[in-house]
Amino acid sequence: MGLTFFDDERLARDVYAAVSLSAGGEDAAAGISRLLAPIVAHDALCLRGTDPVLGTELCWFSFWHGYEPALALALLTHRIAGAGERRPVGTARTDSAVAVVGGRSHDREADRILAAHGAGSELWLRLADPRGTWGELRLLRASGGRRFGEDEARRAMRLAPALLAVLRRYGTSGPLCPAPDAPVLPAGVAVVGADHRVKAVSPQARAWIEHVVARSEPAVAAGASDAWFRALSLAARARHDAPGPLICMPPARCGRWFTAQAEPLGEDGAGDVAIILQGATGDTVTPSFCAWYGLTPREREIVGELRDGSPVKRIARRLGVSPYTVNDHLKAVFRKTGAEGRDELVAALYR
């Protein structure tokens, strides 16, 4: 079959319409699958979004269609554990995206997992640009069907610009600040053992789980919180020498910026893992905030100067530019973020 051509902008609009119809349920994922099936035939689909700044495998939203929950959980666990590799069958570059597609697995354990759940082959598309990786698309075919080949890999690579546009738009679709009637959720703590089983969860952490996690992993909804904590535990152990947030989630899904930080309690990463769930503000959220809204390095500097309420003239002196330049950058930030003024922007970042 030859290379399929389509309108990138129209596909992006149609896919975004599908993902915005629900909070991440099967209906939205089924809609995405219907749109992509004429381009690359598949039996199951997963579209995941990740933080381009943190660079972890953990997602802050996902849409699953057709994946058996047990298979989704097994693949998630295997991927985050960092075992095995998949060699790409092709790479595509455009001015706005870099996409890598894997259609032939050189990861025997992943192949074993697929076979054990009645799946034949999986094709994956990494969605990235020079600022980082924004997510991935995974397509699955059932056992006994034709395996994904290089022609389908090339067609899948053509999806990258449209899907990148969808992820960026969706990531900034939530409110800049929490709604006035949004519940106040203090930080919560959970402890996960060396076997990745949850040992203890505070009431505050349970409230965050109900608010966020159950809506973020519909493919494993029956045990969403356990699967999510397992993923955090695995990621924390893999990065035990680089502490910091593992997830910084934009408001699109839960109406506020949210972080999950997990750290092993032992020096070698082999003991329990403590996980802190909380709303994100200040230095924690600013890098991801600036990435999602496409702020330039100078605009990021301006945003960083706003926290102490400094007037424009003082910011200009600190940065060695004119007040007119500062105001021009502020106008650009307000336009990109939708903030009505500096008060709302400061409230979104630092309160």
Side-chain angles (χ1 to χ4, degrees):
M1 184 181 295
L3 188 62
T4 299
F5 293 94
F6 51 86
D7 184 331
D8 289 342
E9 293 184 1
R10 179 174 179 179
L11 181 64
R13 288 195 302 269
D14 291 344
V15 173
Y16 180 76
V19 302
S20 61
L21 287 176
S22 75
E26 172 67 15
D27 289 345
I32 301 170
S33 180
R34 284 193 297 270
L35 290 166
L36 302 189
I39 302 167
V40 182
H42 56 272
D43 298 310
L45 168 148
C46 171
L47 177 64
R48 306 170 68 246
T50 58
D51 190 305
V53 175
L54 297 179
T56 66
E57 285 281 350
L58 300 173
C59 68
W60 63 266
F61 84 90
S62 57
F63 298 94
W64 299 78
H65 171 68
Y67 271 84
E68 177 191 345
L71 172 59
L73 180 57
L75 290 173
L76 175 70
T77 300
H78 179 64
R79 182 169 63 251
I80 294 176
E85 296 181 354
R86 284 175 178 265
R87 183 179 302 171
V89 300
T91 300
R93 290 180 178 270
T94 68
D95 292 338
S96 61
V98 178
V100 179
V101 180
R104 295 175 182 171
S105 175
H106 292 257
D107 179 350
R108 292 184 178 179
E109 177 60 17
D111 285 343
R112 187 197 66 76
I113 293 171
L114 291 171
H117 291 83
S121 63
E122 188 180 47
L123 181 150
W124 57 274
L125 176 70
R126 183 169 63 89
L127 302 168
D129 67 11
R131 289 182 293 169
T133 297
W134 301 82
E136 67 177 11
L137 172 73
R138 288 179 175 263
L139 302 176
L140 190 72
R141 281 183 178 165
S143 178
R146 185 167 57 88
R147 295 179 63 87
F148 290 109
E150 294 191 16
D151 181 64
E152 287 147 320
R154 287 193 296 269
R155 280 186 275 134
M157 282 187 269
R158 284 277 291 112
L159 298 169
L163 295 181
L164 272 168
V166 170
L167 296 181
R168 294 192 192 107
R169 185 178 176 187
Y170 187 83
T172 57
S173 64
L176 198 62
C177 298
D181 59 348
V184 177
L185 298 177
V189 180
V191 177
V192 180
D195 59 357
H196 309 299
R197 295 180 181 274
V198 178
K199 298 176 71 173
V201 181
S202 71
Q204 294 83 1
R206 184 65 61 187
W208 274 111
I209 293 167
E210 294 173 356
H211 189 64
V212 179
V213 180
R215 296 189 248 175
S216 299
E217 293 291 349
V220 287
S225 60
D226 288 343
W228 202 65
F229 281 133
R230 182 180 183 87
L232 286 168
S233 172
L234 287 163
R237 296 175 200 281
R239 295 161 53 96
H240 66 88
D241 57 345
L246 290 172
I247 289 179
C248 189
M249 182 187 296
R253 183 54 59 83
C254 64
R256 72 189 73 199
W257 284 88
F258 161 81
T259 60
Q261 183 164 341
E263 294 187 14
L265 300 180
E267 293 183 0
D268 59 357
D272 292 348
V273 169
I275 299 173
I276 301 176
L277 311 179
Q278 60 187 337
T281 60
D283 293 338
T284 301
V285 73
T286 299
S288 295
F289 179 92
C290 292
W292 280 106
Y293 284 102
L295 304 190
T296 66
R298 179 59 85 179
E299 290 165 358
R300 297 182 188 200
E301 286 185 293
I302 300 294
V303 167
E305 293 288 336
L306 295 178
R307 71 178 65 196
D308 60 0
S310 298
V312 167
K313 289 184 178 180
R314 184 181 301 170
I315 295 175
R317 286 196 300 270
R318 288 177 180 172
L319 299 180
V321 298
S322 73
Y324 299 103
T325 300
V326 173
N327 279 322
D328 285 343
H329 285 308
L330 281 173
K331 290 177 182 177
V333 171
F334 298 154
R335 183 182 69 254
K336 291 178 179 180
T337 63
E340 295 184 359
R342 61 183 294 167
D343 289 344
E344 184 178 9
L345 189 63
V346 170
L349 288 169
Y350 301 117
R351 296 177 188 169

